[in-house]
Amino acid sequence: MSARVLIVDDLYPNVRLLETKLSLEYFDVVVAMNGPDALTICERGACDVVLLDVMMPGMDGFEVCRRLKANPNTAHLPVVIVTALDQPADRLRGLDAGADDFLTKPIDDTALMTRVRSLVRLKAVTDELRSRALATRAIGGVDPLALAAADTGENAKVLLVEDRASAIDRIGTALAQHHRVTVETDPHRALVLAPDGGFEVALVSLDLEGFDGLRLCSQLRSLERTRNLSLIMLGEMGEKTRITRGLEFGVNDYLLRPIDRNELVARVRTQVRRRRFTETLRGALQASMELAITDDLTGLHNRRYLDRQIGPVFGDAMLHQKGLACLLLDIDRFKSINDTWGHEAGDEVLRAFAERIRAQVRPMDILARYGGEEIVMVVPGVDLPEAQAIAERIRERVEAAPFAVQRGTRDITVTVSIGVAVRRPTDTSPADILGRADAALYRAKSAGRNRVEAAAA
């Protein structure tokens, strides 16, 4: 897996050593000899992972890391602090600054490469989300990157899979001050509990009695509903090989016993923030997609969505010789509603009208605002009598109860005219059906409104 790795170190021999090791593993290497240059390179998007030394003149590595994680444009970059500092307090400072990992010199080559590859995969997951979020930001609204980067990583739902009583007490007590912790001693029950528990992080002991904790991690990573769950392994010093395997198939992080309480809290917070960053971007992307295909006033799909979806539905009906109907609905005398009661009342009627129609729609049907007060309903798998029955049911529902306007202070009667058409063997495109539905709607209006007219099958 090729990626661009930024080495930040003010000592050339250190840079050269890391550069050689990474190049042999086919990584592209970028170099910065000080903190400000590193920030500039990251801001340009010129790297995928940052290997950051601490002891540098001017701006140390901790400050560089803090600035990277505080900037919405660089908060997603994985940072590994690589330093000769080896005290727990130093590791904690790095994690508190937002680092994804802390490696002590002399560096174990296997650990370094495994961690870099793991973080590269993690970044790849967020890159497309970020690019689309940037497109969303360009058209206005809340900045999804700033929102994602602002999370504190607190108050998460955490699953602890551990069967040692002493470890449960220490780990559970430390995490309970910041998160909601659920403890499960049985790995089989944990596998059942995890998908529906709403957990953001799972800590899994590798030394469960009678069960391989690494296998549980693998199962959690493979299940669709836990695929995005952040996983942290809890292992012993002699289990580096198993830990490396876990990182290779997608486990996010690990802690070695005896577990330092502060490091535990810091690593869990880092994983929570990273997961929420991704989920926030994913949510922003989903919202922007919905916005692009949804009519603001009625909440129905818009003409763009209809144009995109009706072609495949029509093609499927032709291929399998299935029925397909189009209903074109138009509120009667809608202009007089606007003229008499005002445009705000007209909007209220349109919203309520859309809701009444929506109640008659199946999941496979397409319902979209066609323009003005017209709504189109595409109904696969039905013939003309069924389509007429659907249209008549909608007409009756619209007429049956008055519509509240002027914020509920007045009630007015509203009726609808509906044109119905179904696919013919000679049709070459959806436009043929829509054209006949439009002609049928015109006849319904001409014949006195509040009625259903159908084109001949």
Side-chain angles (χ1 to χ4, degrees):
M1 176 183 294
S2 182
R4 297 163 300 174
V5 180
L6 171 62
I7 301 173
V8 188
D9 198 313
D10 64 324
L11 296 178
Y12 183 75
N14 294 344
V15 170
R16 185 60 182 156
L17 179 62
L18 279 175
E19 186 176 16
T20 300
K21 291 180 178 181
L22 291 164
S23 296
L24 288 172
E25 295 295 327
Y26 302 101
F27 289 106
D28 294 328
V29 176
V30 185
V31 174
M33 304 295 287
N34 57 67
D37 286 351
L39 294 175
T40 300
I41 291 170
C42 293
E43 184 73 32
R44 290 203 315 263
C47 64
D48 298 302
V49 177
V50 182
L51 300 184
L52 179 61
D53 186 37
V54 171
M55 306 300 292
M56 296 185 294
M59 184 187 299
D60 68 18
F62 296 134
E63 180 60 22
V64 174
C65 187
R66 273 191 291 270
R67 294 193 185 192
L68 287 173
K69 295 301 181 178
N71 184 344
N73 295 320
T74 57
H76 68 290
L77 283 175
V79 177
V80 179
I81 289 181
V82 182
T83 179
L85 300 175
D86 60 356
Q87 296 302 306
D90 298 318
R91 186 161 55 247
L92 183 61
R93 283 187 66 192
L95 295 171
D96 281 341
D100 295 86
D101 208 345
F102 191 102
L103 298 180
T104 303
K105 300 174 183 177
I107 301 169
D108 179 277
D109 291 354
T110 301
L112 172 65
M113 298 308 168
T114 301
R115 174 51 82 191
V116 169
R117 291 190 186 97
S118 174
L119 291 174
V120 166
R121 286 195 300 268
L122 188 63
K123 180 177 178 289
V125 171
T126 63
D127 273 351
E128 185 173 354
L129 292 174
R130 284 189 72 258
S131 65
R132 298 196 181 186
L134 286 169
T136 301
R137 183 173 65 177
I139 62 174
V142 177
D143 185 344
L145 295 186
L147 184 64
D151 193 90
T152 62
E154 297 283 319
N155 196 33
K157 286 196 69 176
V158 177
L159 175 62
L160 172 60
V161 187
E162 174 65 86
D163 55 9
R164 302 182 188 184
S166 59
I168 290 171
D169 181 60
R170 288 195 305 273
I171 296 172
T173 301
L175 292 178
Q177 298 179 41
H178 307 274
H179 307 286
R180 294 161 288 156
V181 182
T182 298
V183 177
E184 181 52 70
T185 60
D186 185 332
H188 301 286
R189 288 200 299 265
L191 191 60
V192 174
L193 178 65
D196 297 316
F199 298 105
E200 296 180 75
V201 178
L203 293 91
V204 179
S205 171
L206 297 184
D207 306 305
L208 298 165
E209 186 174 354
F211 194 90
D212 183 357
L214 199 58
R215 183 169 298 281
L216 176 59
C217 290
S218 174
Q219 291 169 327
L220 290 171
R221 186 54 79 231
S222 65
L223 291 174
E224 182 178 354
R225 285 187 293 171
T226 54
R227 189 162 294 155
N228 296 321
L229 179 67
S230 293
L231 295 176
I232 300 177
M233 298 174 284
L234 308 176
E236 304 287 349
M237 285 294 296
E239 295 181 308
K240 289 290 184 69
T241 301
R242 296 178 69 205
I243 288 170
T244 298
R245 288 182 62 191
L247 292 173
E248 286 174 347
F249 68 65
V251 176
N252 301 89
D253 205 350
Y254 64 93
L255 282 155
L256 297 178
R257 306 182 200 271
I259 294 171
D260 179 83
R261 176 192 186 99
N262 293 322
E263 183 177 352
L264 165 69
V265 171
R267 287 190 183 273
V268 170
R269 181 174 60 244
T270 295
Q271 293 306 319
V272 171
R273 290 191 66 187
R274 182 167 286 281
R275 183 179 187 278
R276 288 178 179 173
F277 186 94
T278 302
E279 291 302 312
T280 299
L281 295 185
R282 188 174 285 117
L285 174 58
Q286 183 62 36
S288 66
M289 291 173 63
E290 289 293 331
L291 186 63
I293 61 172
T294 301
D295 175 64
D296 290 340
L297 178 60
T298 63
L300 301 178
H301 287 123
N302 58 21
R303 183 70 176 267
R304 182 187 297 115
Y305 179 86
L306 174 68
D307 291 343
R308 187 183 306 161
Q309 297 296 319
I310 195 171
V313 173
F314 176 82
D316 182 70
M318 283 188 62
L319 179 64
H320 298 99
Q321 294 299 299
K322 297 188 298 186
L324 177 66
C326 287
L327 282 61
L328 196 55
L329 307 91
D330 189 25
I331 297 174
D332 293 327
R333 298 186 174 88
F334 185 71
K335 183 178 183 300
S336 68
I337 295 175
N338 282 329
D339 292 343
T340 304
W341 303 100
H343 287 279
E344 184 178 344
D347 289 348
E348 291 177 301
V349 167
L350 269 173
R351 282 192 289 267
F353 179 60
E355 282 303 313
R356 293 194 192 186
I357 300 171
R358 203 196 313 267
Q360 309 301 316
V361 173
R362 306 169 303 172
M364 69 282 292
D365 299 336
I366 299 173
L367 187 63
R369 187 177 181 187
Y370 199 56
E373 68 275 16
E374 288 186 341
I375 290 175
V376 66
M377 184 173 172
V378 180
V379 190
V382 300
D383 56 19
L384 188 59
E386 290 175 291
Q388 286 179 287
I390 293 169
E392 184 59 32
R393 185 165 64 247
I394 292 173
R395 187 200 65 77
E396 291 173 353
R397 292 290 175 88
V398 171
E399 185 184 28
F403 284 59
V405 297
Q406 296 186 342
R407 302 185 182 182
T409 61
R410 298 289 183 91
D411 289 337
I412 62 174
T413 298
V414 175
T415 61
V416 61
S417 297
I418 306 176
V420 179
V422 295
R423 185 185 68 83
R424 294 174 178 171
T426 55
D427 288 340
T428 59
S429 75
D432 297 328
I433 314 176
L434 286 168
R436 292 195 300 275
D438 188 48
L441 175 61
Y442 179 79
R443 292 199 302 274
K445 294 285 190 181
S446 301
R449 299 180 175 84
N450 190 25
R451 60 187 293 120
V452 174
E453 286 286 339

